[in-house]
Amino acid sequence: MPASQTSRTFGASTTAAEVIDGVDLHGRRAVVTGASSGIGVETARALAAAGADVTLAVRNTETGARVVAKLEAELSPSAGKLTVGRLDLADRSTVGQFVAGWQGPLHILVNNAGLMAPPELTRTPDGHELQFAVNHLGHFALATGLRRALASADGARVVSVSSIGHLFSPVVFDDIDYRFRPYDPWTSYGQSKTANALFAVGAAERWADDGITANAVMPGNVGETNLSRTTDMEQVGAMLAAGAFALPPGKTVAQGAATSVLLAASPTVQGVTGRYFEDCAEAQPVAERGTAVAGVAPYALNADNAARLWALSEQLVG
């Protein structure tokens, strides 16, 4: 383990560059979803800076190509190769195409892409509520489709980007797609983020024999991302003013990417799996939402919930 890793304490203000300092990823291959903006770009930057060959899995490949050009101009000649792959998590055909086109081992998969709280109920062409479909089902299909590639990497890591927003709701198994209850953008978001955490628990259980670790992360309150592109920010302001919820302290994009990079590449968490991290450390459990701005709900790490979600997800993605 590099000395710079063993002697350093990571925390809320740590940046992705600080986490990756001293780590050599040459010869490793990584996929980062949603790497055309925000935290995804910074995650890709850090992994490539350490030498990993990184594929930016994005909806808009033209935007992805511009990001690659910018990163290549900024990174050193020793950085890993950057490429772009098309991936629309709401369109299962593109997930299948991405999986079919992948050749060779995959050492790092960061399921980073997502959307937050669209005000109106929207369904994908196959009938699933959009947030659950994009944030969870699309990533589930991607990760399970790439399992052989991950297994062949001998020590692969999967990072599932969740959120403090998971405290808004557990997975409501009897009505995931809001066919019986009124749609609410925030419980829908919370359900999908709980699913992200439960995916890590399920993958950790099922893939341990393949040497694959899987963990969930809370990036933090990062304003400079496209996550809120579908969010009614006036509603957010009203909810904050009414005390309906509170936000954690703000972070820069570089700080927001740090926990993802920690779980993706740092030797300090070698072998750690099935956990939920925030501020570059394992999160503490919380008993109720209230105005909590940190921590993880027990239902998001429950093994029975994870098993139920895994079986349902297999059924839903075919």
Side-chain angles (χ1 to χ4, degrees), residues 43-137:
T43 301
R45 182 201 304 275
L47 297 177
D53 293 334
V54 183
T55 297
L56 284 64
V58 298
R59 288 181 301 138
N60 188 320
T61 55
E62 291 182 2
T63 302
R66 288 194 292 270
V67 170
V68 165
K70 183 176 186 295
L71 290 178
E72 287 176 339
E74 296 169 351
L75 292 169
S76 73
S78 64
K81 181 181 178 181
L82 292 161
T83 56
V84 177
R86 172 157 164 70
L87 180 72
D88 182 346
L89 292 163
D91 181 350
R92 200 159 312 147
S93 67
T94 73
V95 178
Q97 291 163 8
F98 187 94
V99 168
W102 187 266
Q103 302 294 324
L106 175 59
H107 302 83
I108 298 167
L109 173 62
V110 183
N111 290 333
N112 166 83
L115 74 161
M116 181 174 71
E120 302 295 331
L121 173 61
T122 305
R123 300 191 194 281
T124 58
D126 52 359
H128 298 299
E129 188 277 318
L130 185 61
Q131 290 191 85
F132 191 80
V134 169
N135 295 349
H136 171 63
L137 288 178

Side-chain angles (χ1 to χ4, degrees), residues 10-16 19 38-39 42 217-225 247-260 262 277-281 293-294:
F10 301 136
S13 63
T14 302
T15 66
V19 168
I39 294 170
E42 292 305 308
V217 303
M218 154 61 174
N221 175 18
V222 182
E224 301 173 47
T225 76
L247 290 174
K251 287 188 178 186
T252 67
V253 173
Q255 291 169 336
T259 307
S260 291
L262 178 87
F277 276 65
E278 62 190 358
D279 295 339
C280 295
V293 295

Side-chain angles (χ1 to χ4, degrees), residues 158-200:
V158 178
V159 180
S160 185
V161 178
S162 182
S163 168
I164 189 66
H166 81 275
L167 297 181
F168 281 117
S169 178
V171 174
V172 180
F173 288 100
D174 291 327
D175 192 21
I176 281 175
D177 291 316
Y178 287 82
R179 297 188 182 278
F180 297 92
R181 53 186 166 140
Y183 173 73
D184 176 80
W186 293 104
T187 59
S188 173
Y189 179 65
Q191 173 177 253
S192 73
K193 293 289 103 178
T194 294
N196 291 151
L198 290 174
F199 166 77

